[in-house]
Amino acid sequence: MRTREIAGQIMGQLEAFEGSKAAMDTTELLIVRGRSRQRIPPEELESTISQILQGLGAQKLDMYSDETADIITIMDEQIRSQVSIQEETDIYGIYRLKESFENMNCHADYGIGVVDDIAIFIILWKDKSGIGPLFVELVVSALEG
């Protein structure tokens, strides 16, 4: 499946494949979490995400665009089709994600892109102390069934 292929490429590029775990794996959506072996400085998190998306031939989207909001809604629906979630859909929660990590004393950055009919959401974060690994969370979603 294309979602697994893309997720494998990204996790491999970040050297985060070993020990990574799928948090959700369906025919439409794959969520993977892992720890990168790379030592990426905090100021390079955004450019690392951009390079990954560019390397896949993905169009990087503005996080605050209508297109991104639509994609986040699709991803949310795909998750809700598998897991019972009591709260209403909150597409703005994704925008508060970086702030949440920063409040937990972490550097964080994220990005979203589209290649063909596949959406890719990547978030990278690490402790501000510089100690510990770089964490990766990746959502790869087929936008058309």
Side-chain angles (χ1 to χ4, degrees):
M1 293 187 6
R2 186 103 165 100
T3 54
R4 289 182 181 171
E5 177 186 323
I6 290 171
Q9 287 176 355
I10 294 169
M11 297 304 275
Q13 186 173 347
L14 288 168
E15 297 177 40
F17 195 78
E18 185 177 325
S20 65
K21 296 196 183 327
M24 183 172 285
D25 186 359
T26 71
T27 57
E28 298 175 316
L29 183 85
L30 178 60
I31 301 174
V32 182
R33 296 181 178 134
R35 292 184 308 212
S36 174
R37 294 178 182 216
Q38 295 180 357
R39 297 285 177 209
I40 300 171
E43 62 275 7
E44 293 179 16
L45 294 177
E46 181 180 4
S47 64
T48 298
I49 292 167
S50 293
Q51 288 170 4
I52 289 168
L53 293 172
Q54 183 179 29
L56 292 168
Q59 172 194 359
K60 185 174 182 188
L61 303 178
D62 177 352
M63 286 300 297
Y64 299 98
S65 70
D66 289 340
E67 184 177 7
T68 296
D70 291 344
I71 290 170
I72 291 169
T73 300
I74 290 168
M75 290 176 170
D76 182 67
E77 289 170 1
Q78 291 170 340
I79 292 168
R80 288 173 185 273
S81 74
Q82 300 296 312
V83 179
S84 176
I85 300 174
Q86 300 303 316
E87 292 85 31
E88 293 293 319
T89 299
D90 177 14
I91 63 167
Y92 301 106
I94 202 84
Y95 305 125
R96 293 187 298 273
L97 187 60
K98 184 176 178 181
E99 183 179 306
S100 296
F101 278 113
E102 290 170 347
N103 288 338
M104 293 186 304
N105 204 36
C106 293
H107 296 286
D109 220 320
Y110 52 62
I112 192 164
V114 176
V115 60
D116 300 324
D117 63 344
I118 305 286
I120 304 158
F121 176 77
I122 305 169
I123 182 160
L124 304 175
W125 75 94
K126 63 190 293 178
D127 192 277
K128 285 185 177 178
S129 70
I131 298 172
L134 171 70
F135 294 96
V136 177
E137 185 155 344
L138 175 64
V139 181
V140 183
S141 169
L143 297 176
E144 297 178 10

